[in-house]
Amino acid sequence: LEGIGLSSDSNYAILKECFPYLAKRLLSDDSPRARGALRTLLYGGGDELSLSRLSEVASGLESYTTSTTSVSASTGASDEGRKAATEQLAAVLLSEDGNYVQSLLLK
């Protein structure tokens, strides 16, 4: 697929196209593999949280949610997708039960 994309756009990257789904998956999948991938994405090889990468993950979640919420949200005719993404992110970050994302951000 990437070869087809590169034939029409030299800057095409399949990961860029898949990132909204990956962001959603990394924030919702509790498997050890997903946890490791999220930690590596947010911290790289060090101990300092990358706020720019955290912002990219939040934007990816918003993009995924917007495109899957409704036709009007995906075309920009409503902000329904943005509201849904905000609610999803808040639910993860403010969960009373605690979760891996919270522990990663509070590290």
Side-chain angles (χ1 to χ4, degrees):
L1 288 176
E2 191 161 29
I4 294 169
L6 285 170
S7 68
S8 63
D9 178 2
S10 62
N11 294 320
Y12 179 82
I14 198 162
L15 183 58
K16 180 179 165 188
E17 298 300 322
C18 297
F19 191 75
Y21 170 77
L22 291 173
K24 166 72 171 155
R25 182 76 187 261
L26 290 174
L27 290 171
S28 60
D29 188 340
D30 203 32
S31 72
R33 188 174 179 185
R35 285 179 171 199
L38 181 60
R39 188 196 186 299
T40 299
L41 178 64
L42 294 178
Y43 285 88
D47 292 327
E48 190 171 319
L49 176 66
S50 170
L51 295 179
S52 64
R53 288 192 181 163
L54 179 60
S55 177
E56 289 173 9
V57 170
S59 294
L61 175 65
E62 179 183 338
S63 177
Y64 177 83
T65 305
T66 298
S67 65
T68 59
T69 300
S70 69
V71 173
S72 60
S74 66
T75 60
S78 83
D79 65 348
E80 181 181 352
R82 177 173 283 205
K83 287 179 183 177
T86 302
E87 289 172 6
Q88 286 179 5
L89 194 54
V92 169
L93 296 176
L94 303 174
S95 171
E96 290 182 16
D97 298 330
N99 56 51
Y100 183 69
V101 174
Q102 288 175 342
S103 65
L104 227 125
L105 295 177
L106 296 175
K107 181 181 172 185

